[in-house]
Amino acid sequence: MMLITGATGQPGHTTIQTLLGKIQPNELIALVRDIRKATDLIGMGVQIRQGDYNEIGSLVAAFQEVDDRYHQSRTGTRRPAGAASHCLPLYPRPGYPAAGPG
């Protein structure tokens, strides 16, 4: 299972759409703060998990049974120096596609 954070934002949503051309929707998990904003993702067959960076317990639960994760962040969000402002692939597992074009 691959989890995409920030899934209701533009970069996260674009990442999910790209990945849906490469893997089945039941292999994707969208991490969202507000489930009400994820109705289109639910319609695509993507699993939704609610989580908030300020509530560590919600993240622990959301990341259960996750093999790969892509972190989406907004411009201006605190992140390590030199980190990309959009997609950070973390520990990709062989067999899963990259989120980028190709």
Side-chain angles (χ1 to χ4, degrees):
M1 299 287 283
M2 181 183 296
L3 184 138
I4 310 299
T5 67
T8 57
Q10 193 277 326
H13 200 272
T14 299
T15 299
I16 288 174
Q17 289 178 318
T18 300
L19 288 169
L20 284 173
K22 300 177 181 185
I23 62 175
Q24 296 298 312
N26 63 350
E27 295 183 56
L28 288 175
I29 301 168
L31 181 68
V32 302
R33 282 185 294 181
D34 186 348
I35 292 176
R36 295 171 295 178
K37 294 181 179 180
T39 55
D40 60 330
L41 296 171
I42 293 168
M44 293 178 195
V46 175
Q47 186 182 148
I48 305 300
R49 295 192 187 170
Q50 191 170 15
D52 188 316
Y53 294 129
N54 295 315
E55 297 174 18
I56 191 70
S58 72
L59 297 177
V60 170
F63 277 82
Q64 295 298 311
E65 300 177 17
V66 170
D67 301 310
D68 282 325
R69 47 237 168 251
Y70 285 87
H71 172 67
Q72 306 295 328
S73 66
R74 297 175 293 170
T75 302
T77 300
R78 289 176 44 168
R79 60 187 177 272
S85 63
H86 297 294
C87 184
L88 299 175
L90 304 173
Y91 310 109
R93 183 176 63 136
Y96 271 113

